Amino acid sequence: MIDGKKVLFSGMQSTGSLTLGNYLGALKNWVTLSDDYECFYSVVDMHSITVRQDPAELRKKARNLLTLYIAAGLDPKKNCIYYQSHVSGHAELAWILNCFTYMGELNRMTQFKDKSAKHADNINAGLFTYPVLMAADILLYQADVVPVGKDQLQHLELTRDLAQRFNSIYGDVFVVPEPYLGKSGAKIMSLQDPTKKMSKSDENPNASIYLTDDTDTIIRKFKRAVTDSEARIKYCPEQPGISNLIEIYSACSGKSFAEVEAEFEGKGYGDFKLAVGETVADTLKPVQTRFDELCKDKAYIDGIIKENAEKANYYATKTLRKVQKKVGFPERIR
Ligand code: ATP
Ligand code: LTN
């Protein structure tokens, strides 16, 4: 608890450009939560280097991501928006937690299996212990809730296990966090392969809608979206492509699946895809406008980066000192 409010932590990697999946599955929900919780929203740049990055690009993407958090509606005065790499406590707690994590637990992580298949030439130890750093992110701020997409539930389960394991040895040190899954848009799929999630690291730019795509690009990508030949607009497992578009349309328009099906009853895929494209473009427009404005105000963004890193450091250090004491590290002499 901070000032009587429950604590919320979440983060996104600064790899690639943010997609509609990130927006509907994460960012949009974050904004609605920021009144009810004391929120920490991190740009997890330390996680990003588990796969090879170009340094200048990484720096730029991290800044864009932090700016997009604000453009999407997160108020940086109310929410702690900061770079993970500016708070050394993340790495320090991760090390300690590493010593409480079993190889078998990490071996079971599906994201590790997927990413090692994708980056077979660079299966580094950081990729393997990635979930431990994520656990450190969350536990460092004593977070009660963690909004994530379904793909991250396994990592959150590990975080809970680590917190409970640590607490059972040393007493109540960590809050055991709960996942928070948003109501709609929980998992947006690739437009080119609707059995795969839409991901910012997908090599095919037509598979994802980026938050910075203009209206024409958005409409073109939806026109090309892979669907089926059933020719009916119905949400069902046999039609993953169309179901994904219904999910997107529903999340952007606020209409239920049944309402969407009724609206497009008897209409063709062409009409539906155009409507989805237009609705998505309308949803993203205000975010894009605000992003462009914010990018011009360097001093404002710099100020937020500095202030919020200090705030994050304050809370992180509080937990870290407690943990260091529990595991038996010598006291600091002042
Ligand atoms: P990468 O391709 O770099 O692994 P990603 O696009 O999968 O990235 P993350 O940085 O891993 O994105 O995730 C940021 C947040 O967005 C997480 O909360 C995650 O659950 C959510 N998210 C990512 N992709 C989707 C998606 N397709 N649908 C819904 N939510 C998503
Ligand atoms: N692993 C997450 C990003 C992430 C995160 C976190 C999310 C890192 N640390 C802490 C929530 C809480 C991902 O790939 N989406």
Side-chain angles (χ1 to χ4, degrees):
M1 291 281 213
I2 297 177
D3 295 337
K5 273 188 175 173
K6 285 196 169 179
V7 177
L8 179 154
F9 185 95
S10 202
M12 269 191 221
Q13 290 194 65
S14 41
T15 33
S17 304
L18 233 60
T19 70
L20 186 65
N22 301 127
Y23 181 69
L24 295 177
L27 254 187
K28 198 165 164 249
N29 294 323
W30 291 5
V31 176
T32 62
L33 292 165
S34 62
D35 282 336
D36 300 331
Y37 295 92
E38 183 70 34
C39 300
F40 293 84
Y41 291 118
S42 186
V43 170
V44 293
D45 48 356
M46 288 161 67
H47 277 101
S48 302
I49 63 162
T50 51
V51 303
R52 219 41 95 226
Q53 304 289 342
D54 174 76
E57 273 290 298
L58 179 61
R59 213 176 336 267
K60 189 165 140 226
K61 286 192 167 136
R63 179 132 181 146
N64 280 349
L65 181 54
L66 189 131
T67 309
L68 261 177
Y69 282 4
I70 304 166
L74 291 175
D75 178 351
K77 293 276 169 218
K78 281 201 271 172
N79 302 276
C80 188
I81 295 172
Y82 73 100
Y83 295 126
Q84 182 188 33
S85 63
H86 285 190
V87 181
S88 60
H90 289 258
E92 294 179 71
L93 182 60
W95 171 255
I96 296 175
L97 293 177
N98 261 318
C99 303
F100 290 83
T101 310
Y102 302 114
M103 301 288 282
E105 288 178 306
L106 295 178
N107 252 326
R108 282 198 292 276
M109 296 292 136
T110 54
Q111 184 172 302
F112 171 66
K113 290 185 211 166
D114 291 350
K115 293 222 168 167
S116 13
K118 227 164 139 185
H119 305 278
D121 55 336
N122 181 21
I123 306 177
N124 60 68
L127 197 62
F128 189 61
T129 60
Y130 175 113
V132 183
L133 179 58
M134 176 161 163
D137 298 342
I138 297 166
L139 301 181
L140 203 50
Y141 298 93
Q142 305 288 2
D144 298 278
V145 287
V146 183
V148 280
K150 282 183 195 156
D151 60 306
Q152 295 299 313
L153 284 178
Q154 200 186 23
H155 289 165
L156 206 69
E157 206 42 55
L158 176 74
T159 305
R160 289 169 54 83
D161 289 345
L162 290 179
Q164 279 159 347
R165 187 171 304 155
F166 200 91
N167 287 351
S168 72
I169 305 171
Y170 299 105
D172 275 345
V173 177
F174 294 124
V175 169
V176 181
E178 299 281 345
Y180 180 97
L181 286 171
K183 274 188 251 46
S184 71
K187 195 165 183 183
I188 304 299
M189 310 309 277
S190 153
L191 298 186
Q192 291 300 311
D193 176 0
T195 60
K196 260 178 35 188
K197 78 162 184 163
M198 184 182 284
S199 161
K200 53 182 147 59
S201 53
D202 202 311
E203 291 99 48
N204 182 353
N206 289 322
S208 306
I209 300 292
Y210 299 109
L211 289 200
T212 45
D213 280 347
D214 61 26
T215 303
D216 288 349
T217 310
I218 294 173
I219 290 176
R220 180 175 47 77
K221 286 184 182 177
F222 277 110
K223 271 193 192 152
R224 285 196 195 164
V226 171
T227 43
D228 50 64
S229 50
E230 300 256 335
R232 55 187 186 136
I233 293 155
K234 184 152 181 48
Y235 190 93
C236 60
E238 298 78 46
Q239 293 177 264
I242 279 295
S243 298
N244 186 36
L245 299 189
I246 295 177
E247 175 122 29
I248 293 172
Y249 187 77
S250 157
C252 290
S253 66
K255 293 174 187 161
S256 69
F257 294 173
E259 282 169 331
V260 180
E261 287 171 2
E263 187 180 342
F264 290 94
E265 167 124 51
K267 295 215 173 115
Y269 284 178
D271 288 344
F272 181 52
K273 285 178 169 178
L274 181 64
V276 179
E278 284 172 345
T279 308
V280 168
D282 287 348
T283 303
L284 299 184
K285 194 92 217 151
V287 180
Q288 294 172 345
T289 309
R290 182 88 183 104
F291 176 78
D292 291 341
E293 283 165 13
L294 286 166
C295 284
K296 288 182 202 137
D297 199 346
K298 184 172 181 301
Y300 172 71
I301 299 289
D302 283 351
I304 285 163
I305 291 172
K306 182 165 180 287
E307 256 171 53
N308 281 334
E310 281 164 10
K311 178 174 171 188
N313 253 305
Y314 169 80
Y315 289 105
T317 307
K318 240 167 105 167
T319 304
L320 189 65
R321 293 290 174 263
K322 204 159 147 190
V323 172
Q324 288 170 330
K325 190 169 173 196
K326 291 284 182 186
V327 298
F329 292 169
E331 249 179 83
R332 277 153 207 263
I333 315 292
R334 272 187 247 266

